[in-house]
Amino acid sequence: MAYSDKVVDHYNNPRNVGSLDKSASEVGTGLVGAPECGDVMRLQIRVNPETQVIEEAKFKTFGCGSAIASSSLATEWVKGKTVAEALEIKNTDIVKELALPPVKIHCSVLAEDAIRAAISDWKKKNGVAETEAVAAQ
Amino acid sequence: MNDGTMSNGTINPVVPEGVTLPIYMDNHATSPMDPRVLEAMLPYFSGKFGNAASRNHSFGWEAEQAVEQAREQIARLIGATAKEIIFTSGATESNNLAIKGIAEMYRERGNHIITQVTEHKAVLDTCKRLEKYGYRVTYLPVKADGLIDLDDLRRAIDDKTILVTIMSANNEIGVLQPVAEIGKICHEKGVIFHTDAVQAVGKVPVDVQAMNIDVLSLTAHKIYGPKGVGALYVRRRNPRVQIAAQIDGGGHERGMRSGTLNVPGIVGLGKACEIAMQEMATEAERLRAMRDHLRARMEAELDYVEVNGSWEHRLPGNLNMSFIYVEGESLLMGINDVAVSSGSACTSATLEPSYVLKALGLGDDVAHSSIRFGLGRFNTMAECDYVADKVIGIVKKLRELSPLYEMVKEGIDLSKIEWAAH
């Protein structure tokens, strides 16, 4: 299978690889996928409590090149956005940006899930109701 | 490329002298043609173009003579006689012809066929089709090492069993089934024994007499011959095996396989067998040394690596390893100047990893992490060193990216985590 140049670039030079302290109150962690499915993504965000802006994002992914690229791109995109804005990122945007073929669409879905899971974790920690973010949209 | 450093995020070990990229190390899929085989074939594409079935002129005789010589060369390699060799288009056809042809011919004697779960799809899907036509098929399990349990086989044979079809060597993990013991059991019980020996012939000794093999499939392109030509050995005595033709036509190949013979291909298959016969022993030793070196280097520098399948009962050129906590396709992507293959599902349209690895009882995560290295005649020790450098570099890099590796290193038990399967 031929990979798009953007997938190859993210695979060779993944952005924002690493870990944040998951016990910190301003950090949200999303762990999605399963080893037996061949994809596990962990996406972490550090949110400014005043502005709700995602100031830092880190990821680690076990998965194919497209899964690595999708999560790497996701960290780039959420950085600098508010939590509400980050929730607007759709998997189809990732598919488009990385030119993913149909068999790799699940990688983009997983990346979207990872963003949502990280935000949801952060909200839980900070007592922000799920509905509030929806209202903010 | 050759500076031995990381540039542009890729891992580029120094390319040893004499090594040209890309490196082909996927010889279970197909093998490059030996120049000696090509040379033997060339005259039969042009000047010596006759139809081997033309009995009335020298063009036909010339072609026929070449075909009969090839039959001898093939027979000699497997301990058969020339008359027992039937030419086909390849091993898929040989397997289809053997299984369907025997099922049809012996239908009145019984309707039960025994095979095992890690067979090639050419055998499994043929058996599945026969189930639709009222045949009963037993799929024997394999042990963790990939071998069948002979007691399972003994128990599975009943008075309706007409055929046992068990491969000689597996195409993914290279494990060698106990063919001689299987043949003995089959002959004691009066059941025909067919073996798909595509990966074994020319690599390890195969003797249809000593091993009590009745029907055997082989193909040229796995033994440095051309694609599109194969053969089926069909025993003529003790017992005489009969096969119902699956292709109707001019009655070629003793009525078992009609169709004008592919003379250049057959000449190539014959030559490939002749070379294998002469060089198999030394070649096996060389391949084993290279393969062991490759394994040792990777094991010395990487943790959490596992060999899949029996190490003892294995083709000399096969190494199937799992690099746990790294997904196979992403590993292949990083070693794109080395041609190997992965048991990961991501290379296919389904999300299921290799059924062969799963049959060994491996978790899907281990199967997803597997790479098959298939060493062959034209690989060198220098290539193995390059491949080892490259794999070690990429696995280390991908493990830096792997949340699973980090969790395991922190002492987290991954089996205790509730994963959201997707």
Side-chain angles (χ1 to χ4, degrees), chain B residues 367-389:
Chain B
H368 276 300
S369 306
S370 75
I371 298 286
R372 177 186 71 180
F373 303 89
L375 289 102
R377 181 172 293 164
F378 303 105
N379 289 121
T380 63
M381 199 58 111
E383 286 179 336
C384 291
D385 273 318
Y386 178 82
V387 171
D389 287 342

Side-chain angles (χ1 to χ4, degrees), chain A residues 17-128:
Chain A
V17 175
S19 314
L20 300 173
D21 176 10
K22 60 174 180 262
S23 60
S25 64
E26 68 274 25
V27 170
T29 300
L31 182 67
V32 296
E36 51 270 26
C37 302
D39 292 300
V40 175
M41 287 182 190
R42 190 189 63 199
L43 193 142
Q44 295 182 297
I45 51 172
R46 183 193 303 282
V47 183
N48 182 318
E50 301 298 317
T51 59
Q52 297 214 346
V53 168
I54 297 170
E55 293 183 333
E56 204 178 359
K58 294 279 182 196
F59 87 98
K60 281 200 177 189
T61 289
F62 162 83
C64 64
S66 302
I68 290 169
S70 296
S71 37
S72 170
L73 178 67
T75 59
E76 272 195 322
W77 278 359
V78 297
K79 256 168 100 170
K81 284 193 169 68
T82 64
V83 166
E85 285 166 346
L87 282 169
E88 285 174 38
I89 296 170
K90 294 278 171 288
N91 84 290
T92 46
D93 304 331
I94 296 170
V95 171
K96 214 167 153 190
E97 173 68 13
L98 296 176
L100 296 180
V103 294
K104 296 298 182 188
I105 286 173
H106 70 276
C107 299
S108 69
V109 173
L110 208 56
E112 185 189 314
D113 289 350
I115 296 172
R116 291 175 177 278
I119 291 173
S120 166
D121 180 54
W122 171 80
K123 282 181 181 169
K124 239 180 256 165
K125 277 184 182 170
N126 291 276
V128 182

Side-chain angles (χ1 to χ4, degrees), chain B residues 172-353:
Chain B
E172 288 190 33
I173 51 178
V175 303
L176 303 167
Q177 295 292 349
V179 171
E181 287 84 348
I182 295 167
K184 191 161 171 274
I185 292 167
C186 289
H187 275 207
E188 280 166 7
K189 304 256 189 180
V191 174
I192 298 170
F193 174 36
H194 164 252
T195 186
D196 171 1
V198 163
Q199 299 287 349
V201 164
K203 315 287 169 60
V204 290
V206 173
D207 185 319
V208 294
Q209 293 306 338
M211 296 173 168
N212 287 311
I213 296 166
D214 297 317
V215 186
L216 175 147
S217 304
L218 63 91
T219 193
H221 77 104
K222 310 282 194 195
I223 51 172
Y224 316 101
K227 290 163 187 64
V229 61
L232 187 67
Y233 155 79
V234 184
R235 179 178 285 277
R236 269 167 71 91
R237 47 175 63 206
N238 305 317
R240 180 186 178 85
V241 175
Q242 289 178 289
I243 288 187
Q246 303 298 303
I247 296 178
D248 296 309
H252 307 76
E253 299 299 278
R254 294 174 32 231
M256 281 188 256
R257 202 278 192 178
S258 289
T260 297
L261 291 177
N262 166 9
V263 178
I266 287 167
V267 168
L269 172 55
K271 186 68 184 177
C273 287
E274 183 192 279
I275 296 169
M277 179 120 187
Q278 291 160 354
E279 302 183 357
M280 184 165 58
T282 50
E283 186 167 290
E285 209 172 307
R286 199 178 71 85
L287 290 179
R288 202 171 285 124
M290 289 195 294
R291 181 208 49 196
D292 292 359
H293 177 68
L294 186 58
R295 175 186 175 179
R297 284 223 37 216
M298 294 189 294
E299 282 183 339
E301 295 201 44
L302 297 170
D303 52 3
Y304 302 106
V305 294
E306 284 175 13
V307 170
N308 299 314
S310 168
W311 187 248
E312 187 190 349
H313 304 283
R314 180 181 288 258
L315 290 171
N318 177 279
L319 177 60
N320 188 307
M321 274 182 124
S322 285
F323 300 88
I324 306 172
Y325 314 124
V326 171
E327 194 277 330
E329 188 187 330
S330 66
L331 181 47
L332 290 190
M333 194 172 165
I335 52 171
N336 58 2
D337 51 9
V338 180
V340 291
S341 64
S342 169
S344 162
C346 274
T347 45
S348 66
T350 70
L351 288 177
E352 285 293 297

Side-chain angles (χ1 to χ4, degrees), chain B residues 102-111 135 160 162:
Chain B
I102 289 166
E104 185 182 333
M105 186 61 84
Y106 295 87
R107 183 68 181 87
E108 283 176 15
R109 192 189 287 180
N111 70 338
Y135 289 86
K160 293 287 182 208
I162 48 176

